[in-house]
Amino acid sequence: MAYQAEYIWIDGTEPTRKLRSKTRIVPDGKKPPVWGFDGSSTNQATGHFSDCVLQPVFSCPDPLRGPNDVLVMCEVLNPDFTPHATNTRAAAVAAAKQYASFEPMFGIEQEYTFFQDGRPYGWPEVGFPAPQGPYYCGVGGTKLPGREIVEAHTLACMRAGLGIEGTNAEVMMGQWEFQIGVLGTVEVGDQLWTARWLLERIAEDFGVDVSFDAKPIKGDWNGAGAHTNFSTKQMRAAGGWDAIIAGCEALGTRVLEHIENYGEGIKDRLTGAHETAPWSEFSYGVSDRGSSVRIPGGVAREKRGYLEDRRPNANVDPYVVARLMVETICGAAASAKPATRRAPAKKAVAKKAPARKAPARR
Ligand code: ADP
Ligand code: MN
Ligand code: MN
Ligand code: MN
């Protein structure tokens, strides 16, 4: 029997891209073919020259439809099949290829906020809910609006075969998180965008919007991030500590380029409060949730593992953050290699910023 393929792509909305999708009925035994769409309706073309190409790049079972139906993540191409200007995946593919020998791996923690009637889901019509404190990983009563959507989304991701690793309620009422990983440079983006699409699609059935806004409510309320956990083969191997420190140092050499590409509104979120470091002051530290980059406590004990860049916004493009981290960290390691053979071993720098006392959470 013919089946349904939901073609998903990333549009050209500024400053933050949105997801689009449309359905194609594919004949039995055929693969979802290259398709197209009207780019003049998605901020990707002018009306006079409006055709854009949809190139399928990642496919998984569609958990919301029948057993043969699929979701198809696509790259947007120009009519001549070159990458469209809004296509950030193509550059991630190139970086992944260039630094393949490092075997970079990612896990991204996607935070987001449910909205209804113009305010976070479950918030009172007037005023504010009780202050932050009980919501993070909370349970019970009316504190945790949205759990039924989270449950449905988690199951959907599992049925689709995505690398969903867990979920938790966040610090602000109505804010939640799921994690996707541990996956390669391009795959983490493919799967995170697909999981975002599923979340928005499922929330639709509940009459709820999903916001990836970095600071949905101003004031003393947590923002929403997309902590990006990263490792190379060298970091994961025994004695990976030096490679982890070198990775932190490399991130410290290209601070602005990363900040400017980590999502709209990042300076409103990275204020130094609410478990963030100020965007302008790069720091890294063990177990330090008030630093830009955190080395998890367990990693410091084992002297191997991964680092967590805490700066990316919830609205970051995962293809962009993954490409930048690979280029910066693997790029520095690649150019340092010949030098370290001759020079004496670099002294291990423990950390730049003194570990601030941070609440044991997140
Ligand atoms: P926390 O909230 O304490 O920061 P989470 O449990 O939410 O931690 O997320 C941890 C993330 O670290 C997961 O997304 C996981 O995939 C990722 N991770 C674990 N090991 C590695 C690794 N070796 N390389 C890259 N990412 C990793
Ligand atoms: Mn984290
Ligand atoms: Mn979190
Ligand atoms: Mn987390």
Side-chain angles (χ1 to χ4, degrees), residues 20 29 41 57 62 109 126 155 163-164 256 273 275 361:
R20 307 272 178 152
S41 301
V57 288
D62 183 343
E109 306 167 49
V126 186
L155 260 182
I164 187 163
L256 259 188
E275 300 174 60
R361 61 185 189 195

Side-chain angles (χ1 to χ4, degrees), residues 109 111 136 168 170 177 179 227 289 308 362:
E109 306 167 49
E111 296 179 344
Y136 172 75
N168 60 268
E170 268 304 336
E177 168 179 319
Q179 305 99 32
H227 297 167
R289 287 164 200 267
E308 176 193 44
R362 297 222 299 163

Side-chain angles (χ1 to χ4, degrees), residues 105-241:
M105 298 298 279
F106 289 85
I108 300 185
E109 306 167 49
Q110 175 70 65
E111 296 179 344
Y112 60 91
T113 313
F114 289 130
F115 266 79
Q116 198 177 50
D117 302 326
R119 57 181 187 275
Y121 192 42
W123 281 41
E125 220 167 305
V126 186
F128 297 90
Q132 294 187 159
Y135 309 118
Y136 172 75
C137 295
V139 65
T142 52
K143 291 192 293 288
L144 296 145
R147 194 188 298 276
E148 65 282 15
I149 311 172
V150 173
E151 295 287 321
H153 174 249
T154 305
L155 260 182
C157 287
M158 291 171 68
R159 289 191 179 133
L162 303 181
I164 187 163
E165 304 173 282
T167 68
N168 60 268
E170 268 304 336
V171 176
M172 185 180 94
M173 184 200 249
Q175 205 169 79
W176 295 80
E177 168 179 319
F178 65 88
Q179 305 99 32
I180 292 279
V182 182
L183 292 162
T185 309
V186 178
E187 292 75 14
V188 77
D190 291 341
Q191 296 202 22
L192 182 52
W193 277 115
T194 304
R196 283 177 177 178
W197 183 89
L198 277 170
L199 182 61
E200 297 212 56
R201 171 63 192 82
I202 290 166
E204 194 182 297
D205 288 344
F206 292 83
V208 169
D209 279 312
V210 179
S211 167
F212 295 105
D213 194 324
K215 191 77 179 178
I217 304 294
K218 309 291 171 236
D220 201 15
W221 299 93
N222 273 41
H227 297 167
T228 301
N229 301 272
F230 172 86
S231 64
T232 58
K233 186 170 79 177
Q234 292 78 7
M235 294 178 184
R236 294 186 295 269
W241 179 253

